[in-house]
């Protein structure tokens, strides 16, 4: 135990004393923050739903011949569904449910006698103009698109009528039915798994290759191997230190992403996307998953590095893995259709699914427990392999 | 005379890669580096392994220091087998060879403490030893300079000191004066003599006759991985100079083969 600590302290000293190494830890997180902030709202447009032949289904309460005919003549693909014999206006929550269930893209409310009221309205009279209300959900790409289409249509009509009516002006009505959770969950669960997994992997990669293959290449590992410490102590000490540093790098990146994502969405969404919708418990889960994933990465990369005789050779061995990890990370962007528990036994894939699950607020503790357990076992296996490699003169003194 | 080291029938072969086969100008896949080597060393003596380049000296010492395992045979140090209990052997021997490098990033001061700790030396004992050894080798003048910035001679001194942080009873030195300037070489040979005075056993390898004559109580002559003579210096030489005796043995050995 004491030897593990001694090795660990040496490794930490080595990296914290080296400004270049420290920079590789902290820079990615900083960079992400800066780049994403600069990119501003670029992503909002990219995410945008709709499309050429999308049919927008709009639930219509009330009626207006004027709006119907304008919609028809404009050629936009909007179909109105009338409420079957309803007497009073639906409340906002009903609209929200209909939209989030996907039965409608928007909900439009036209006040009684709208056409007539518009004709007789006196803009100079000081009374409020008749108002059309459109409810939509900005975290749903199609709903957003439907809203923009309707808004453009009605705004054109409004100006041709000398502003005799208004659209969505009531100050105390939230026309966007998306909750803060909806928006944040969508964005974070989509981007976080990929970003986190890739950042963690790359922050493990450089340091681990340097610490294992580098020591072999420079012949300093032989000096350690003639001391009476156990090979397993050497393996554990190195992996512990590398994990601490990778965790630090991972956390820097994590915070960078957390702070940057709202900026990335830009504009209105900026206020709606808020990392504070997650509880401390959620973050604790993420941290557990991250830590166990880092242990898998470090022990795996360390094992490969031990097989290489130089840092360069180690990088060559590791780079195909980077590709695999990226693909697994991308799989998290679309969520998993299959949530069977067995899948949470697959290392790294399970981490991606957990991170995505926590951020979209749809995870179960069992998934996290399985993930952490599976990752710990995997890391343990790699530590055992690494110990064997340290014991093998053929591997350690390969010329 | 108490025997401390017994090597019996040590054999080590290396599988040669294609590149190594070209370098060695051979198409044999297996190189026999050490071929059934047996010898003993006594407590408190300096024992020398003498032989030309490629004779198998370094390979023999690496087996004794448990860096590599013999294919056949075994060696015991104080009765402990290098094959069966390498960890225990490691805590009793100090090994110095060019292959063992120190990390450029650290200072001699830090490395001394680090290796003392790995060898389980009490901090207070280590501190006293550090003062003594650093003083003796003049390392105190550059104790806080990173190894990467030291000259070859300075590095060699630090390596030497690190190899004896645990005050081992048996010290194994591979070509101890190779590549050193005359002044540093003198410091090193004086240190070896001092170790003997303190009752330590020194096993060294060299291809330099004068070094054996100057330091060694007993000598083993290795040619092509085999021990061709092993005894006290006068007994091996039999009245001849070591150099003449060596070439006589060498001719006998090579002549047999031809
Ligand atoms: N790791 C190795 N792989 C292949 N051949 C080796 C290896 N180590 C030593 N040899 C070969 O074994 C022989 C003995 O080497 P060595 O013990 O270094 O000799 P010496 O130290 O006496 O000069 C040499 O021919 C050398 O090329
Ligand atoms: Mg040699
Ligand atoms: Zn209705």
């Amino acid at each position: 135990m004491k030897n593990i600590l001694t090795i660990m302290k040496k490794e930490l000293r080595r990296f914290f004393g080296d400004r270049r190494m420290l920079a590789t830890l902290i820079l990615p997180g900083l960079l992400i923050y800066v780049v994403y902030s600069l990119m501003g709202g670029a992503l909002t447009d990219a995410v945008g739903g709709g499309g050429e032949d999308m049919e927008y289904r709009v639930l219509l309460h009330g009626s207006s011949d004027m709006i119907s005919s304008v919609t028809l003549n404009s050629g936009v693909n909007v179909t109105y569904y009338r409420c079957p014999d309803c007497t009073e206006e639906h409340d906002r929550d009903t609209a929200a449910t209909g939209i989030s269930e996907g039965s409608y893209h928007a909900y439009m409310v036209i006040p009684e006698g709208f056409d007539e009221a518009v004709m007789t309205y006196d803009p100079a009279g000081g009374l409020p103009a008749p108002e059309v209300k459109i409810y939509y959900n900005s975290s749903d790409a199609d709903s957003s698109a439907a809203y923009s289409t309707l808004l453009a249509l009605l705004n054109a009509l409004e100006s041709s009528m000398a502003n005799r009516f208004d659209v969505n002006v009531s100050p105390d009505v939230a026309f966007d039915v998306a909750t803060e959770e909806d928006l944040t969950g969508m964005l974070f669960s989509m981007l976080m798994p990929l970003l986190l997994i890739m950042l963690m992997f790359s922050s493990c990669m450089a340091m681990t290759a340097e610490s294992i293959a580098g020591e072999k290449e420079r012949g300093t590992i032989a000096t350690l191997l003639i001391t009476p410490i156990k090979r397993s102590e050497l393996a554990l000490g190195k992996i512990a230190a590398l994990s601490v540093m990778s965790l630090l790098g991972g956390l820097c990146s994590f915070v960078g992403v957390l702070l940057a994502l709202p900026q990335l969405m830009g504009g209105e969404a900026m206020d709606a996307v808020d990392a504070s919708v997650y509880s401390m418990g959620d973050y604790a889960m993420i941290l557990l998953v991250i830590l166990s994933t880092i242990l898998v990465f470090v022990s795996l990369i360390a094992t490969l590095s031990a097989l290489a005789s130089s840092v360069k050779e180690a990088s060559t061995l590791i780079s195909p893995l980077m590709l695999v990890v990226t693909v697994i990370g991308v799989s998290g962007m679309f969520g998993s259709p299959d949530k069977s528990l067995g899948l949470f036994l697959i290392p790294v894939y399970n981490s991606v699914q957990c991170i995505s699950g926590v951020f979209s607020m749809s995870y179960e503790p069992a998934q996290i427990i399985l993930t952490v357990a599976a990752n710990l076992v995997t890391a343990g296996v790699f530590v055992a392999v690494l110990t064997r490699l340290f014991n093998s003169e053929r591997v350690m003194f390969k010329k | 005379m108490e025997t401390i080291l017994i090597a019996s029938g040590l054999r080590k072969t290396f599988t040669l890669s294609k590149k190594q086969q070209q370098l060695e100008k051979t198409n044999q896949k297996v190189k026999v580096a050490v071929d059934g080597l047996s010898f003993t060393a006594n407590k408190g003596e300096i024992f020398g392994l003498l032989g030309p380049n490629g004779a198998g000296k370094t390979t023999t010492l690496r087996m004794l220091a448990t860096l590599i395992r013999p294919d056949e045979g075994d060696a015991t140090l104080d009765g402990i087998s290098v094959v069966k209990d390498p960890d225990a052997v490691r805590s009793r021997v100090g090994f110095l060879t060019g292959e063992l490098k120190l990390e450029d990033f650290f200072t001699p001061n830090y490395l001394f403490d680090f290796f003392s700790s790995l060898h389980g030396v009490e901090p207070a004992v280590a501190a006293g030893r550090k003062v003594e050894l650093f003083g003796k080798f003049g390392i105190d003048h550059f104790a806080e300079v990173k190894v990467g910035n030291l000259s070859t001679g300075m590095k060699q001194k630090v390596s030497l000191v690190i190899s004896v942080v645990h005050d081992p009873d048996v010290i194994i030195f591979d070509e101890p004066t190779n590549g050193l300037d005359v002044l540093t070489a003198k410091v090193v040979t004086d240190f070896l003599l001092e170790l003997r005075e303190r009752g330590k056993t020194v096993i060294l390898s060299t291809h330099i006759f004068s070094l054996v004559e100057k330091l060694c109580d007993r000598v083993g002559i290795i040619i092509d991985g085999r021990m061709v003579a092993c005894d006290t210096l006068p007994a091996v030489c039999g009245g001849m100079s070591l150099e003449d005796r060596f070439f006589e043995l060498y001719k006998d050995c090579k002549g047999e083969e031809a």
Side-chain angles (χ1 to χ4, degrees), chain B residues 202-223:
Chain B
V202 178
I203 317 281
L204 61 81
S205 82
T206 184
H207 61 274
I208 304 165
F209 302 112
S210 60
L211 196 70
V212 175
E213 286 169 331
K214 196 176 146 211
L215 294 177
C216 297
D217 304 294
R218 291 171 65 250
V219 64
I221 295 178
I222 304 187
I223 294 170

Side-chain angles (χ1 to χ4, degrees), chain A residues 192-254:
Chain A
M192 270 298 187
L194 176 66
L195 282 171
L196 276 184
I197 287 288
M198 294 200 41
L199 289 169
M200 275 192 279
F201 190 83
S202 54
S203 103
C204 295
M205 197 167 78
M207 275 182 309
T208 308
E210 171 64 29
S211 163
I212 310 257
E215 280 223 46
K216 250 182 95 178
E217 183 177 0
R218 291 187 297 271
T220 52
I221 202 141
T223 318
L224 287 172
L225 292 176
I226 56 152
T227 64
I229 62 163
K230 296 205 167 53
R231 275 38 173 161
S232 53
E233 292 175 323
L234 180 59
L236 283 172
K238 282 203 173 255
I239 291 200
L242 289 164
S243 299
V244 167
M245 291 180 291
S246 300
L247 189 62
L248 214 88
L251 286 182
C252 282
S253 307
F254 181 58

Side-chain angles (χ1 to χ4, degrees), chain B:
Chain B
M1 197 70 74
E2 193 186 336
T3 308
I4 187 163
L5 169 81
I6 306 171
S8 53
L10 288 178
R11 181 181 161 88
K12 184 73 190 176
T13 57
F14 292 107
T15 319
L16 296 182
S17 64
K18 279 262 146 12
K19 215 166 85 193
Q20 284 171 322
Q21 284 181 29
Q22 279 170 7
L23 278 172
E24 299 252 330
K25 297 194 182 65
T26 169
N27 45 24
Q28 280 176 306
K29 281 214 161 51
V30 174
K31 163 85 196 175
V32 182
V34 174
D35 193 4
L37 205 69
S38 303
F39 66 94
T40 59
N42 299 321
K43 206 169 183 148
E45 75 177 4
I46 300 185
F47 180 90
L49 284 174
L50 177 70
N53 278 339
K57 303 181 297 291
T58 302
T59 307
T60 304
L61 297 188
R62 289 174 84 205
M63 285 190 280
L64 296 181
T66 75
L67 215 47
I68 57 177
R69 279 168 72 99
D71 298 354
E72 287 170 27
D74 197 350
T76 57
L77 262 136
D78 244 347
I80 305 163
S81 156
V82 296
V83 176
K84 295 195 197 88
D85 201 357
D87 288 347
V89 170
R90 272 180 219 125
S91 60
R92 283 174 175 74
V93 302
F95 185 36
L96 185 66
T97 167
E99 169 186 22
L100 306 177
K101 299 285 189 338
L102 296 173
E103 278 187 77
D104 283 351
F105 180 80
F106 294 110
T107 62
N109 190 19
Y110 177 81
L111 286 171
F112 191 96
D113 295 343
F114 174 65
F115 283 102
S116 293
S117 164
L118 290 186
H119 275 285
V121 182
E122 290 297 324
V125 177
R129 218 170 265 164
K130 181 160 71 180
V131 171
E132 183 205 326
L133 288 168
F134 277 22
K136 187 184 320 245
F137 289 94
I139 297 173
D140 39 8
H141 299 299
F142 50 86
E144 294 299 341
V145 181
K146 287 184 180 181
V147 169
N149 298 328
L150 298 180
S151 70
T152 317
M154 290 167 165
K155 276 186 199 164
Q156 189 91 358
K157 285 180 188 168
V158 178
S159 287
L160 182 115
V161 164
I162 297 284
S163 72
V164 296
V165 285
H166 51 311
D167 194 25
D169 289 332
V170 179
I171 296 106
I172 303 176
F173 280 177
D174 188 26
E175 309 270 5
T177 58
N178 248 22
L180 297 185
D181 66 274
V182 284
L183 291 177
T184 317
K186 170 99 171 94
V187 175
V188 171
T189 52
D190 285 351
F191 182 59
L192 294 180
L193 291 170
E194 186 198 318
L195 285 173
R196 173 172 65 185
E197 222 138 88
R198 284 174 34 208
K200 308 285 184 191
T201 310
V202 178
I203 317 281
L204 61 81
S205 82
T206 184
H207 61 274
I208 304 165
F209 302 112
S210 60
L211 196 70
V212 175
E213 286 169 331
K214 196 176 146 211
L215 294 177
C216 297
D217 304 294
R218 291 171 65 250
V219 64
I221 295 178
I222 304 187
I223 294 170
D224 285 343
R226 294 202 190 111
M227 190 69 88
V228 296
C230 181
D231 210 329
T232 59
L233 206 49
V236 166
C237 293
M240 301 163 83
S241 77
L242 181 60
E243 189 169 350
D244 291 344
R245 178 65 184 142
F246 173 81
F247 285 112
E248 196 178 77
L249 286 167
Y250 190 78
K251 226 171 67 197
D252 289 354
C253 182
K254 289 291 181 184
E256 255 167 45
E257 260 174 34

Side-chain angles (χ1 to χ4, degrees), chain A residues 94-369:
Chain A
T94 322
T97 315
I99 294 171
S100 64
E101 278 170 356
S103 15
Y104 301 102
H105 295 116
Y107 169 47
M108 188 152 94
V109 178
I110 298 173
E112 202 137 328
F114 176 75
D115 286 1
E116 229 170 301
V118 169
M119 287 313 169
T120 57
Y121 178 68
D122 174 13
L127 288 166
E131 180 188 6
V132 176
K133 295 172 181 162
I134 306 171
Y135 296 92
Y136 66 103
N137 184 335
S138 66
S139 77
D140 179 321
D142 290 336
S143 177
S144 290
Y147 172 64
S148 325
T149 308
L150 288 174
L151 196 63
L153 196 73
L154 293 185
N155 277 337
L157 179 64
E158 185 187 338
S159 32
S160 75
M161 308 272 309
N163 294 325
R164 281 159 187 267
F165 72 96
D166 285 315
V167 181
N168 285 11
V169 288
S170 298
D172 33 275
V173 180
F175 293 101
D176 183 354
V177 299
T179 59
E180 215 165 72
E181 281 85 358
D182 280 343
L183 268 178
T184 311
M186 169 199 69
L187 185 65
F188 278 13
S189 68
M190 224 172 91
L191 294 179
M192 270 298 187
L194 176 66
L195 282 171
L196 276 184
I197 287 288
M198 294 200 41
L199 289 169
M200 275 192 279
F201 190 83
S202 54
S203 103
C204 295
M205 197 167 78
M207 275 182 309
T208 308
E210 171 64 29
S211 163
I212 310 257
E215 280 223 46
K216 250 182 95 178
E217 183 177 0
R218 291 187 297 271
T220 52
I221 202 141
T223 318
L224 287 172
L225 292 176
I226 56 152
T227 64
I229 62 163
K230 296 205 167 53
R231 275 38 173 161
S232 53
E233 292 175 323
L234 180 59
L236 283 172
K238 282 203 173 255
I239 291 200
L242 289 164
S243 299
V244 167
M245 291 180 291
S246 300
L247 189 62
L248 214 88
L251 286 182
C252 282
S253 307
F254 181 58
V255 172
V257 174
L258 222 50
L259 294 177
L261 275 187
Q263 310 249 16
L264 181 60
M265 294 310 281
E268 292 167 52
M270 199 158 140
D271 306 320
V273 174
D274 183 354
S276 65
V277 303
Y278 301 107
S279 69
M280 285 316 282
D282 292 336
Y283 283 116
M285 291 300 152
I286 297 263
L287 203 66
L288 263 178
V289 172
I290 287 184
L291 184 59
S292 74
T293 314
I294 279 180
L295 286 173
V296 171
F297 281 163
V298 168
S299 58
L300 171 62
I301 297 173
T303 304
L304 286 177
S305 301
L307 288 168
S309 47
S310 67
V311 176
K312 209 173 140 208
E313 197 187 325
S315 315
T316 317
L317 281 176
I318 299 164
S319 45
L321 263 188
M322 181 83 188
L323 204 73
V324 174
V325 167
T326 310
V327 170
I328 297 177
V330 167
S331 82
M333 283 184 83
F334 310 109
S336 164
D338 185 357
K339 290 276 183 199
S340 62
L341 280 177
L343 288 174
F344 287 86
L345 291 174
I346 307 171
V348 185
Y349 176 79
N350 56 11
S351 314
V352 169
Q353 291 305 324
C354 279
I355 296 170
S356 164
V358 172
F359 277 118
S360 59
M361 288 160 246
S362 63
Y363 70 96
E364 292 159 31
Q367 297 170 341
I368 307 273
I369 294 170

